[in-house]
Amino acid sequence: MLHRLRLIAVSITAFFVAGTLGFRYIENYPWFDAFYMTLTTMTTVGYGEIHPLTQRGRVFNSFLIFFGVGLMLQTVTVIAQIVLEREFGELLGRRKSKRMIEQLKDHFIICGFGRVGRGAAQEMQRAGVSFVVVDNDEHRVERAMRSGMLAVLADATRDETLRELHIQRAKGLVSALASDADNMFLILSAKTLNPKLVISARANEEESEAKLRRAGADMVFAPYYLTGHRLASSILKPHVQEFMDVFTKSVGLGAAMEQVRVDHGCEMAEKSLRDLQLRREIGVIVLGIRRSNGDMEFNPAADSVIHAGDYLIVMGEPQALHRLETLLIGAGA
């Protein structure tokens, strides 16, 4: 379609150049009169001849009429086709998005597609998980859709919007709206509709962190504070910061960090790390254990026993992490 538009633009330009030059040198029209005569001929408005035409001029004008009318019809056809394709394309796109939303389950909802929400969406897209973006700004929604994401133009703070996104079946929600007040209202609404929902929220002000947690957020991040902290760390402890960047972004060394849940009935449950020998047998390093009661055990000792419901914070190559996940979850399924 773009090629056809360019071809028509070139054809119209060539038509005006040829017509203007023809009336100028065949009939000795002034330059503007020659251009105006070409314009009225092409558009078939029927104003008549500006100056009387000679026989040669009428023959030339006949060719202009023939080609001009054809060119105008072609232009109108292409423009109409573009409009119809856009309208039907948007309609089909909305229907497709609606069908995809109806099929969502164990998904994540990203509320707000500003800088913070966009970063969260890109990370989830890289992880290959199911998620939907919701924002009340049309340009942001279009940007998300152009990036291949499922996006909805709506107000995330409204209960109707959250229900349409099937929050009852959702696994988690990212609250990245512009203001702390909007994020707090969203968290309260989301937790009311789905008390089991895991919510990660953005806080513009540090003092809002405690309020957002009381509202129901499981994790709260202050992006400006975190950015400042990382800037300072990159100068004071550059090698430590580089190491953290490698593994939080899962690039550079072919390794990644992951959390793996110990399922009920798993054969590895109720055994110590020394008995399991995860580093030797599977090739993963256990960095920490999040107990089922919420306690975090950093750098666990070899005699630490893992229980059903615990989460192992591990590091290793993707294949090894997948194998461990299969042993801990699949065995108990």
Side-chain angles (χ1 to χ4, degrees):
M1 185 60 67
L2 184 60
H3 174 72
R4 292 180 65 185
L5 286 175
R6 289 175 178 172
L7 182 60
I8 288 177
V10 172
S11 299
I12 291 175
T13 302
F15 181 88
F16 274 103
V17 171
T20 302
L21 291 174
F23 285 118
R24 169 63 181 173
Y25 292 106
I26 294 175
E27 295 294 330
N28 294 318
Y29 275 19
W31 284 109
F32 181 77
D33 288 351
F35 168 79
Y36 186 74
M37 187 66 183
T38 304
L39 178 62
T40 57
T41 300
M42 179 182 182
T43 56
T44 67
V45 295
Y47 286 156
E49 301 171 359
I50 299 177
H51 306 289
L53 292 176
T54 64
Q55 186 69 22
R56 290 191 308 167
R58 289 177 180 175
V59 171
F60 173 75
N61 198 29
S62 298
F63 282 101
L64 283 184
I65 293 173
F66 177 79
F67 288 107
V69 171
L71 186 57
M72 283 296 296
L73 290 175
Q74 183 68 18
T75 302
V76 172
T77 300
V78 171
I79 293 176
Q81 184 178 356
I82 292 174
V83 173
L84 290 175
E85 286 183 354
R86 180 173 181 180
E87 292 296 328
F88 281 111
E90 291 180 355
L91 178 60
L92 293 175
R94 287 193 294 267
R95 289 183 177 178
K96 182 179 178 181
S97 297
K98 188 174 182 180
R99 288 196 301 268
M100 293 177 67
I101 291 173
E102 290 297 328
Q103 298 172 0
L104 288 175
K105 185 178 180 181
D106 292 331
H107 59 288
F108 297 90
I109 302 173
I110 300 178
C111 301
F113 200 66
R115 287 175 292 181
V116 176
R118 189 158 56 247
Q122 291 171 349
E123 184 62 29
M124 288 191 177
Q125 191 175 42
R126 283 193 292 266
V129 300
S130 177
F131 70 95
V132 58
V133 173
V134 56
D135 198 294
N136 59 3
D137 185 284
E138 184 177 357
H139 298 292
R140 290 180 176 179
V141 172
E142 290 180 356
R143 181 173 182 177
M145 296 178 69
R146 286 197 302 269
S147 300
M149 302 175 185
L150 183 61
V152 175
L153 178 64
D155 184 358
T157 61
R158 296 179 61 86
D159 289 355
E160 294 83 358
T161 300
L162 297 177
R163 289 192 184 97
E164 290 176 359
L165 299 178
H166 300 290
I167 192 172
Q168 297 88 347
R169 305 199 301 250
K171 189 175 183 179
L173 180 143
V174 174
S175 182
L177 301 180
S179 69
D180 291 340
D182 287 340
N183 284 319
M184 188 175 302
F185 189 83
L186 170 61
I187 293 168
L188 290 170
S189 299
K191 278 293 187 180
T192 301
L193 296 173
N194 185 353
K196 297 181 180 180
L197 194 69
V198 178
I199 298 180
S200 179
R202 160 195 175 166
N204 290 316
E205 304 294 337
E206 291 183 51
E207 54 267 23
S208 299
E209 180 176 349
K211 297 179 181 178
L212 292 173
R213 289 186 182 276
R214 287 198 298 269
D218 298 278
M219 291 152 285
V220 181
F221 299 92
Y224 301 116
Y225 171 78
L226 291 175
T227 301
H229 175 75
R230 293 186 63 183
L231 287 173
S233 296
S234 65
I235 296 176
L236 299 175
K237 298 172 287 186
H239 302 304
V240 173
Q241 188 61 48
E242 181 182 4
F243 180 84
M244 293 302 298
D245 286 342
V246 165
F247 290 105
T248 54
K249 294 180 180 178
S250 301
V251 296
L253 298 179
M257 295 176 64
E258 189 59 84
Q259 62 176 42
V260 185
R261 187 177 186 273
V262 182
D263 196 16
H264 292 277
C266 172
E267 295 181 358
M268 289 187 172
E270 309 306 326
K271 294 183 180 180
S272 69
L273 296 179
R274 179 183 290 107
D275 294 333
L276 295 175
Q277 292 292 321
L278 296 179
R279 182 171 184 176
R280 184 184 65 185
E281 299 295 334
I282 302 178
V284 299
I285 301 173
V286 179
L287 302 176
I289 302 175
R290 186 189 185 279
R291 299 299 182 179
S292 56
N293 62 3
D295 293 339
M296 180 67 74
E297 185 177 339
F298 175 72
N299 191 22
D303 57 357
S304 295
V305 178
I306 63 174
H307 308 285
D310 291 346
Y311 280 88
L312 301 184
I313 313 301
V314 294
M315 182 175 69
E317 295 183 350
Q319 297 86 347
L321 295 175
H322 179 71
R323 183 185 175 193
L324 175 63
E325 185 178 9
T326 302
L327 292 174
L328 292 177
I329 299 178

